[in-house]
Amino acid sequence: ADAKIESFGLDVENGKAYYTVDGYDAKNEYEVKVDAVTGDIVKDEVEAENTSNKVADVQEYMIESIDKFMDEALKDAGQGYEAGEYEVEYDNNKYVVSVEVVNGNKDITYEYDIETGKLIEKDM
C-alpha cells in the first residue's frame, strides 16, 4: 500500500488487454498485472531488492495525461489509426508517456515529456 509507482501501462498480449504496474518500497520491488476487462489479478510478484537509489513516483495526474497524449498521437497519425498500448514511466530523469497507435499491421509509437508536453520521439 505504501509502494511508489515506477511505471504504469496498458499492454495487449494475444488479443487480451492488461494493466501493468511496477512499484517499490524501501525493501521490495513489485510487479502486478491486472486483466483490463475483468479486473482479475493475473500476476502479483514481490522481489526483495535494495531500492534506495530509486526516485520514480508516478502520480495520478501523470496517468490522467495519457488521454491527452493519445489524442495528439491519433490526430498526428491520421485517419484509420486507433489507440493501442501505453505506458507512463520515469526515464532519463524525467517522466515520459509512450502511446502507440495502430492501423492493421502498422503502428506508430510516440513518446512525450509529461512535464513539458513536448514530443520526444516518434517511431514508425
Side-chain angles (χ1 to χ4, degrees):
D2 295 328
K4 293 184 178 187
I5 297 174
E6 191 168 24
S7 69
F8 174 85
L10 176 72
D11 295 327
V12 178
E13 298 173 11
N14 300 320
K16 290 192 74 167
Y18 300 96
Y19 293 111
T20 57
V21 181
D22 294 324
Y24 66 96
D25 60 21
K27 297 179 183 178
N28 298 302
E29 288 185 336
Y30 304 94
E31 184 177 350
V32 178
K33 183 188 275 188
V34 178
D35 185 302
V37 175
T38 67
D40 294 338
I41 295 173
V42 295
K43 182 178 187 180
D44 187 2
E45 293 183 356
V46 178
E47 182 178 327
E49 188 74 35
N50 178 357
T51 60
S52 61
N53 62 338
K54 294 189 178 243
V55 297
D57 190 12
V58 172
Q59 299 294 306
E60 186 176 347
Y61 81 91
M62 296 173 186
I63 295 169
E64 291 170 349
S65 74
I66 293 168
D67 288 341
K68 175 182 86 166
F69 293 117
M70 185 64 79
D71 288 346
E72 286 183 29
L74 288 167
K75 183 177 177 185
D76 180 76
Q79 191 171 355
Y81 280 87
E82 56 188 44
E85 299 179 345
Y86 58 76
E87 182 177 35
V88 175
E89 66 181 334
Y90 188 73
D91 187 32
N92 292 324
N93 297 320
K94 63 183 156 205
Y95 292 98
V96 174
V97 61
S98 298
V99 295
E100 178 187 67
V101 295
V102 295
N103 182 350
N105 292 340
K106 297 184 281 185
D107 64 75
I108 306 171
T109 302
Y110 295 81
E111 287 188 4
Y112 296 93
D113 181 316
I114 290 177
E115 295 302 320
T116 67
K118 294 186 181 201
L119 178 66
I120 298 169
E121 182 178 9
K122 177 180 175 181
D123 185 17
M124 299 176 78

